[in-house]
Amino acid sequence: MSNIDIDAPGSNQLFIGNEAMARGALEAGVGWASAYPGTPSSEILSSLAEVAKKRDIYVEWSVNEKVAIEAGAAASFAGLRSLVAMKMNGLNVVIDFLSTIILSGIGKKGLVLMVGDDPAAHSSSNETDSRPVSKWLDIPLVEPGDFQEAKDMMPYLYDISEEFGTICILRSVTRVAHARGNIRLGEIPKVVHKARFEQYYDPAAPMPTPIMCIPSSFRHMFQHVRIDKIREKFETSPYNKYVGPEKPDLLIVTAGSGWLYSQDAVNALKAEDRIGILKLGTLWPLPEKLVKSCLSKADKVLFIEETDPFLEGVIMEFAAGFSPESKRNLFYGNHTRHLNSFGELTPDAVIKAITGVLDIKYQPRDAEYMKKVESVPQQYVMDRLLTFCPGCPHRASFWAIKDALAMDGRHGFVTGDIGCYTMALGPAGFFQTRTHQCMGAGAGLANGFGQLRRFGFDQPVVSVVGDSTFYHSIIPALVNGVHNHSDFTLVILDNGATAMTGFQPHPGTGLTAMGEPAQQISMENICRAIGARVEVCDPFDLKNTTRTMLDLIEQKEGARVAIMRRTCELVRQKKEEKPYKMKIDPEKCLGEDCGCNRLCTRVFRCPGLIWDPVAGKTKIDEVICNECGVCADICPEGAITKEAVA
Amino acid sequence: MVTKTKGMGELFKEVINKGLCTLCGACIGDCPYTVFYRGKIRMLDFCNREEGHCYEYCPRTHTDLDEISNKLLGVPFSGAGIGTVKDVFMARSRDSKVRSKAQYGGTVTTLLLLALENGLINAAITTKTSDEKLPESCVAHSAAEVMESAGSSYMAYPVLEAVNRIPKESKDRLGIVVTPCQAVALAKMRLNPPTQRNSLDNLRLSIGLFCTWALDYGRFYEFLKNNVDLAKVNKFDIPPPPANKFDVYMGQEIKSFPLDEVRNYRMATCAYCLDMTAEFTDISVGSVEGVEGWNTVIVRTQRGMDIIADAKKMGRLDIKDLPDQSLTHLKEAALNKRARAVQEIVKKTGDKNELMYIDISDNLKQKLLGQRVTVQGGH
């Protein structure tokens, strides 16, 4: 991770997009940052956390996005510039709060919500485009087109937020957030943060209290007035620009990642003299005058954006209102099927769209070349299964869950949730997970399934969640289950980390984002207080875990909880030596014979075990095996042995 | 008839999922893919093999009864109901402690104790009743352990899992007590010994138990739990016909259930079983019609003759001739079970040429199909 608070104004530094945004927040003089981890947004908060003490700012990993934004708003109310970060899934969770803070307005200091979208859902359950929320809820939204803008837009947006008294959104996408580029640094101001909630009773005061959203219609009207003023401001924003000839054959309208792709495409087509690009940095409210003047340059307009046709929609809607004498454009984009409204943009997709509109010949590299390109990494990178790490406790947990459900024999199933254990949809977790939605949904679904006994439903229901997910959104579902007598088993895979997003601490870890000790909030105490039966087991003790699971799923009614507790292997290995020395006795290994038929490498499939087809035996991959010892208990022949390391 | 050995998928498809499993245990014990749990064989994972011992040894997959009989007893499968007989008589233990704990005359326990004592075997695989009054397998190495396994709960239990658990390199000389279906599975194991497991070359004594049907482990246990205080139970008994009852001993108290009520809990698969007297063993033992406290004993092999001779010599058993009428009735009942099973199978398959798992001569098939049968069997 880069040192984001390096004190070298004017110098160039190589930052990933998220670090650039964090740097931008420092240059904006933020005093508060809160977030819930989620790819591709996590590094913003974690890089701020590293410098928080030095810079005298407060940084926290909140229990979920809703708390993060409400806590962040309080900081703004009390006079601190406040940053709240989340991925687009989190945006859905905070919509309710957004719908009122646009009415109440913010405090004296700016409030910026950074939302990281994940087009193509590289590490997400969906690829929702966050931008429409700006139009829907009347929230100003900007989007950086490169790394420099990712940094520079932060201070810019705080100024907007404070000048107009509204929350603002900075949207980025994975390719901006996670790619690395050169940033020219600015100055980090020396701010002495002082917080106080001033309570003016005079309605004419700069920030009258109570801060509230009523009378709602009046305040809604007022927000529209603000939006119109901000539109004026955006007309001259340095983040909007037109490049290209005065009378191009085609006008590309783009934003975000589309900006660089569009330049690449125009360059590859050598069409700089035929194509103009309007790059928008301030997407909402739409700088209408700028847009209209650019539309007048060309007949044909092509929208290049990731993922939904947002600009395409709002600009076509805007153009529909032009007077009859105005110039009429031909619009191209998603609605003409020149571009997809799903997945990621690529320069190729942009080229294809342009050549579909203009009669430009483009000879892409032949298919053979593409094959050659694809074969290069294959020479160096092993073909790997999407699976848990060697030594991951989840593999053992799902083994026990699988065995228990099979032994029970009533066709029980797992409702899944969001975390590394999402991979239990596939071979990593022996295909146990049968539903996969958003955070907390597995427990909610289990509530529903578990309530269907009266309609003849007789299958055991097991909701599997992670520890961080438990604190984030499972507790209300468990309360509901106990209160309404739903019949399901909640399994909490407690590996002591928010592992999938990069080991952020959570309320169960006893550590805060700033590295300070915190009270460990006991999940078993919470569950017991709710009234659920709670069993705690070590997933590496397969026998006992299976027995516990059976006992729980055979319980006649009620919500009950199994906590499968074992530290994430990646966390453990930073602190401890390997616990065992694993060995395989080839004499005892049955290989593909009747007896086990490669149970360890065919079903258990820990990457630490490899099948040697020549010898017809299993081997330990000593490079990656973490010597957890679980496979010794899987092998029916006792061919795999674990020897405790003294 | 399809005689090909298949894999675990077919075992579940053709046998277990169709309710034909007898709970013999031949498919579990050392296989990581199958497990016995609460009265059912469950699949933990799919093993993906096209051929497996689980399918091969199952007593409900293709079974060439002539081949088994020829190899183990030296004669083709007998048309007579009680199979191949070298000697038949009635016996009881001379040890009153054995008689009080064991079923009927305590002959099985006595023979196992003797075989351990004289070194014929050094381990006996039997079924014992657990503290929860559920059957479980037991590998007895001592007289005390054999005594613990005396008595029956009449519930089916996959005792052959214990055979599969015997280490490959074990040199234990084994004795085993099995029901007729288990005897068939055991015979199939002996005919085509597994290469990865103990070959059973050291099986020195097999004792079969007469069986008309076994009780369903899961359902009957529920019935018992609801009707008696299981903690107090020290013995189950089905007295010889014509008593027609199921007795549960709780110290001095005996609670009797009509056998007709208990019959509701028998395993469905027992209707398709041809064998009442465990024909593929050295010695078969059951009750004696109308005589309490004695066993009917059928000796089938030289090994069986030898241990009986020892028992006589050492004065461990009282032995009497079996009354002619009892033998006649036993033969009728056994033949009745055979014929009824074949007729039930044809009813199920709807085809007189399709006998599911059974491979027998055409002559015998015709004979059994023509046999008049009574509907209910006793025990």
Side-chain angles (χ1 to χ4, degrees):
Chain A
M1 198 170 277
S2 313
N3 177 15
I4 60 155
D5 79 332
I6 182 168
D7 199 9
S11 73
N12 283 319
Q13 298 292 330
L14 197 59
F15 281 170
I16 65 167
N18 280 341
E19 290 165 344
M21 286 179 249
R23 170 74 188 201
L26 286 180
E27 291 183 8
V30 293
W32 172 288
S34 51
Y36 184 80
T39 311
S41 70
S42 308
E43 295 85 356
I44 295 175
L45 197 104
S46 48
S47 56
L48 282 171
E50 290 202 347
V51 302
K53 279 185 184 161
K54 185 174 155 204
R55 291 285 167 187
D56 199 21
I57 61 176
Y58 176 75
V59 172
E60 81 167 30
W61 286 119
S62 306
V63 72
N64 63 30
E65 293 88 348
K66 189 163 186 296
V67 175
I69 197 165
E70 289 155 355
S76 160
F77 293 168
L80 299 180
R81 279 194 165 183
S82 174
L83 174 69
V84 182
M86 58 193 62
K87 70 186 295 183
M88 72 286 184
N89 303 62
L91 180 67
N92 304 325
V93 177
V94 306
I95 292 283
D96 207 11
F97 185 73
L98 291 179
S99 70
T100 59
I101 197 166
I102 54 118
L103 302 180
S104 70
I106 60 164
K108 276 189 294 187
K109 289 292 184 176
L111 176 59
V112 169
L113 168 59
M114 181 276 155
V115 183
D117 283 2
D118 188 13
H122 294 286
S123 183
S124 301
S125 58
N126 65 71
E127 57 169 8
T128 305
D129 188 332
S130 294
R131 295 174 302 163
V133 82
S134 61
K135 180 169 185 260
W136 174 35
L137 292 181
D138 306 315
I139 304 172
L141 181 143
V142 301
E143 180 175 5
D146 60 31
F147 307 104
Q148 187 66 42
E149 286 189 355
K151 178 187 81 66
D152 293 348
M153 275 183 165
M154 275 290 179
Y156 173 77
L157 208 50
Y158 277 99
D159 290 344
I160 299 282
S161 175
E162 279 162 22
E163 184 180 345
F164 298 96
T166 182
I167 185 169
C168 296
I169 294 178
L170 190 149
R171 182 238 191 186
S172 95
V173 293
T174 305
R175 298 297 173 182
V176 172
H178 278 172
R180 201 172 281 274
N182 255 349
I183 316 289
R184 192 173 177 79
L185 299 187
E187 209 158 326
I188 300 176
K190 299 240 177 318
V191 188
V192 178
H193 298 292
K194 188 102 183 89
R196 181 172 172 78
F197 184 53
E198 299 289 359
Q199 299 170 65
Y200 302 103
Y201 294 94
D202 176 2
M207 190 183 70
T209 53
I211 296 177
M212 58 184 183
C213 49
I214 51 178
S216 304
S217 283
F218 168 75
R219 287 174 181 275
H220 190 189
M221 178 272 288
F222 189 64
Q223 180 68 358
H224 283 186
V225 172
R226 280 178 183 143
I227 286 289
D228 281 342
K229 286 182 180 161
I230 295 169
R231 191 189 312 282
E232 276 306 309
K233 187 94 181 174
F234 280 176
E235 295 289 359
T236 55
S237 165
Y239 302 108
N240 303 325
K241 57 186 143 198
Y242 172 79
V243 289
E246 203 36 53
K247 286 284 165 202
D249 296 342
L250 176 70
L251 173 71
I252 287 177
V253 180
T254 188
S257 55
W259 166 230
L260 292 176
Y261 293 148
S262 298
Q263 291 178 82
D264 276 356
V266 171
N267 185 267
L269 294 170
K270 299 187 175 57
E272 287 89 345
D273 56 344
R274 294 187 63 192
I275 301 173
I277 306 175
L278 170 62
K279 179 264 179 192
L280 289 175
T282 68
L283 276 60
W284 191 260
L286 193 68
E288 292 176 349
K289 288 178 199 151
L290 172 69
V291 169
K292 190 170 185 182
S293 86
C294 286
L295 291 182
S296 70
K297 292 177 194 289
D299 293 333
K300 294 177 176 176
V301 179
L302 172 64
F303 296 97
I304 304 287
E305 53 190 325
E306 203 173 30
T307 306
D308 282 345
F310 173 71
L311 288 172
E312 188 174 327
V314 296
I315 289 176
M316 284 168 63
E317 181 184 303
F318 169 57
F322 290 174
S323 64
E325 307 82 62
S326 295
K327 180 179 177 59
R328 289 292 169 192
N329 298 99
L330 287 167
F331 292 110
Y332 301 91
N334 173 251
H335 76 285
T336 51
R337 299 293 175 263
H338 284 83
L339 278 152
N340 294 326
S341 59
F342 55 85
E344 280 190 309
L345 274 180
T346 61
D348 280 347
V350 178
I351 287 171
K352 209 173 142 221
I354 293 170
T355 54
V357 176
L358 291 184
D359 58 339
I360 300 179
K361 287 273 172 289
Y362 177 66
Q363 183 57 52
R365 299 263 198 180
D366 58 38
E368 279 307 305
Y369 180 82
M370 205 53 217
K371 268 188 206 156
K372 227 154 94 188
V373 169
E374 280 167 3
S375 74
V376 171
Q378 281 167 14
Q379 291 167 24
Y380 304 102
V381 182
M382 210 164 81
D383 202 13
R384 287 189 309 174
L385 185 73
L386 184 67
T387 192
F388 301 130
C389 307
C392 174
H394 294 347
R395 182 177 290 104
S397 294
F398 277 102
W399 189 267
I401 292 167
K402 160 186 76 72
D403 279 3
L405 288 174
M407 285 163 81
D408 174 81
R410 288 176 291 163
H411 303 280
F413 58 92
V414 170
T415 58
D417 230 287
I418 307 299
C420 294
Y421 51 95
T422 297
M423 285 189 285
L425 287 161
F430 322 111
F431 304 97
Q432 291 301 295
T433 299
R434 289 285 176 268
T435 70
H436 172 236
Q437 311 282 345
C438 63
M439 280 192 77
L445 286 165
N447 264 272
F449 284 122
Q451 204 58 265
L452 301 176
R453 303 280 180 234
R454 69 201 71 212
F455 303 118
F457 181 90
D458 61 357
Q459 296 156 277
V461 181
V462 178
S463 158
V464 178
V465 307
D467 40 359
S468 188
T469 305
F470 173 76
Y471 298 106
H472 178 282
S473 48
I474 300 300
I475 296 169
L478 185 61
V479 171
N480 187 72
V482 172
H483 172 62
N484 287 310
H485 309 288
S486 187
D487 179 358
F488 66 93
T489 304
L490 174 69
V491 175
I492 308 171
L493 305 178
D494 180 11
N495 61 358
T498 317
M500 192 171 70
T501 48
F503 315 107
Q504 293 82 2
H506 61 61
T509 60
L511 211 64
T512 68
M514 291 166 70
E516 283 164 353
Q519 187 185 334
Q520 258 183 303
I521 298 170
S522 157
M523 55 179 75
E524 46 265 58
N525 286 354
I526 292 175
C527 296
R528 287 194 182 111
I530 290 169
R533 173 187 163 199
V534 178
E535 302 291 341
V536 181
C537 47
D538 173 4
F540 280 10
D541 182 349
L542 290 172
K543 236 186 208 161
N544 184 45
T545 306
T546 307
R547 205 178 304 130
T548 304
M549 271 312 290
L550 271 167
D551 198 41
L552 285 165
I553 59 184
E554 283 170 359
Q555 184 178 314
K556 289 277 185 274
E557 57 188 30
R560 53 273 190 188
V561 179
I563 299 172
M564 299 191 182
R565 180 165 291 147
R566 178 56 82 154
T567 306
C568 170
E569 174 58 24
L570 296 180
V571 173
R572 187 206 60 77
Q573 65 186 219
K574 283 175 195 154
K575 296 187 278 194
E576 298 165 15
E577 292 300 309
K578 293 177 176 183
Y580 297 109
K581 179 79 199 119
M582 303 302 298
K583 272 189 191 149
I584 292 185
D585 179 350
E587 292 293 308
K588 285 189 178 169
C589 175
L590 283 186
E592 289 182 314
D593 268 324
C594 180
C596 89
N597 197 26
R598 300 208 283 122
L599 181 76
C600 61
T601 54
R602 199 179 56 80
V603 183
F604 187 61
R605 294 183 88 163
C606 174
L609 295 164
I610 36 178
W611 172 242
D612 178 348
V614 179
K617 305 283 176 188
T618 293
K619 291 196 300 191
I620 305 270
D621 185 338
E622 289 175 7
V623 178
I624 66 165
C625 170
N626 285 319
E627 326 265 354
C628 72
V630 175
C631 57
D633 297 328
I634 300 287
C635 176
E637 297 300 313
I640 308 179
T641 53
K642 56 181 182 189
E643 196 183 301
V645 174
Chain B
M1 169 163 286
V2 181
T3 59
K4 192 178 168 300
T5 294
K6 301 181 202 168
M8 176 184 172
E10 288 84 3
L11 179 74
F12 274 80
K13 216 164 102 189
E14 297 173 16
V15 179
I16 296 171
N17 295 345
K18 284 196 173 157
L20 296 176
C21 170
T22 68
L23 284 191
C24 72
C27 60
I28 57 170
D30 75 333
C31 174
Y33 297 96
T34 49
V35 71
F36 173 73
Y37 185 71
R38 291 200 195 274
K40 296 275 192 288
I41 304 295
R42 300 292 191 194
M43 187 197 291
L44 299 180
D45 288 289
F46 184 49
C47 96
N48 214 26
R49 282 187 60 84
E50 286 178 10
E51 289 184 13
H53 292 314
C54 56
Y55 188 92
E56 186 180 9
Y57 298 150
C58 175
R60 288 289 186 267
T61 60
H62 173 249
T63 304
D64 185 336
L65 291 167
D66 277 334
E67 186 197 9
I68 292 174
S69 192
N70 274 324
K71 290 214 172 129
L72 292 182
L73 304 170
V75 290
F77 184 62
S78 169
I82 61 170
T84 305
V85 178
K86 276 199 189 302
D87 197 2
V88 58
F89 49 83
M90 58 192 263
R92 72 172 184 190
S93 178
R94 284 208 175 148
D95 186 334
S96 61
K97 262 199 313 209
V98 171
R99 284 207 306 272
S100 73
K101 176 109 203 296
Q103 237 58 32
Y104 315 115
T107 305
V108 174
T109 306
T110 303
L111 291 174
L112 287 179
L113 289 170
L114 176 62
L116 268 179
E117 190 183 316
N118 69 15
L120 175 67
I121 63 171
N122 66 333
I125 298 174
T126 66
T127 310
K128 72 174 186 184
T129 304
S130 72
D131 292 343
E132 288 79 38
K133 306 300 180 288
L134 278 166
E136 62 184 29
S137 60
C138 154
V139 182
H141 285 91
S142 67
E145 286 171 314
V146 169
M147 277 303 288
E148 261 182 57
S149 72
S152 170
S153 65
Y154 299 93
M155 280 182 262
Y157 185 80
V159 70
L160 295 185
E161 59 138 10
V163 173
N164 286 333
R165 281 188 211 277
I166 299 169
K168 188 180 178 190
E169 59 283 1
S170 167
K171 296 281 179 259
D172 270 353
R173 300 179 305 281
L174 298 172
I176 191 166
V177 182
V178 286
T179 59
C181 51
Q182 291 164 351
V184 171
L186 189 68
K188 289 172 118 181
M189 290 164 109
R190 290 166 73 188
L191 259 52
N192 295 300
T195 51
Q196 306 288 11
R197 300 179 197 159
N198 192 287
S199 66
L200 292 178
D201 283 348
N202 285 320
L203 182 67
R204 297 297 164 85
L205 178 65
S206 58
I207 301 178
L209 303 172
F210 291 6
C211 179
T212 314
W213 36 255
L215 292 166
D216 186 284
Y217 180 105
R219 287 191 303 129
F220 185 62
Y221 188 67
E222 276 300 304
F223 169 79
L224 281 177
K225 233 172 39 182
N226 294 336
N227 287 285
V228 296
D229 181 357
L230 282 168
K232 288 191 191 154
V233 172
N234 56 342
K235 187 174 171 173
F236 302 104
D237 190 31
I238 299 179
N244 215 29
K245 60 180 182 164
F246 185 96
D247 289 339
V248 181
Y249 288 69
M250 291 168 285
Q252 295 301 311
E253 193 198 341
I254 300 175
K255 190 162 185 187
S256 293
F257 298 96
L259 203 53
D260 289 337
E261 186 181 353
V262 170
R263 248 187 226 115
N264 293 329
Y265 299 97
R266 72 200 153 154
M267 297 176 76
T269 186
C270 298
Y272 309 113
C273 172
L274 266 68
D275 187 0
M276 191 179 100
T277 60
E279 294 164 52
F280 304 122
T281 53
D282 296 315
I283 298 175
S284 305
V285 180
S287 63
V288 187
E289 186 195 36
V291 185
E292 288 208 30
W294 286 76
N295 290 111
T296 299
V297 178
I298 302 172
V299 187
R300 305 187 187 278
T301 65
Q302 189 54 48
R303 275 180 180 170
M305 295 300 282
D306 293 346
I307 184 105
I308 293 295
D310 268 7
K312 280 181 186 164
K313 199 168 71 192
M314 299 184 69
R316 298 299 165 85
L317 290 174
D318 287 330
I319 288 180
K320 284 206 272 188
D321 283 345
L322 189 65
D324 284 347
Q325 199 192 356
S326 298
L327 182 60
T328 309
H329 283 175
L330 178 67
K331 284 180 175 170
E332 280 171 9
L335 187 62
N336 188 51
K337 182 175 178 183
R338 262 222 214 322
R340 198 175 60 237
V342 171
Q343 292 170 23
E344 285 295 320
I345 289 170
V346 168
K347 222 187 273 174
K348 195 173 170 73
T349 62
D351 180 353
K352 285 194 171 174
N353 295 313
E354 190 48 70
L355 295 190
M356 291 197 309
Y357 70 98
I358 295 162
D359 190 348
I360 49 173
S361 69
D362 267 353
N363 276 346
L364 183 55
K365 184 170 76 184
Q366 294 311 330
K367 182 183 153 197
L368 293 173
L369 283 172
Q371 182 85 24
R372 269 191 57 152
V373 298
T374 55
V375 179
Q376 289 283 18
H379 200 281

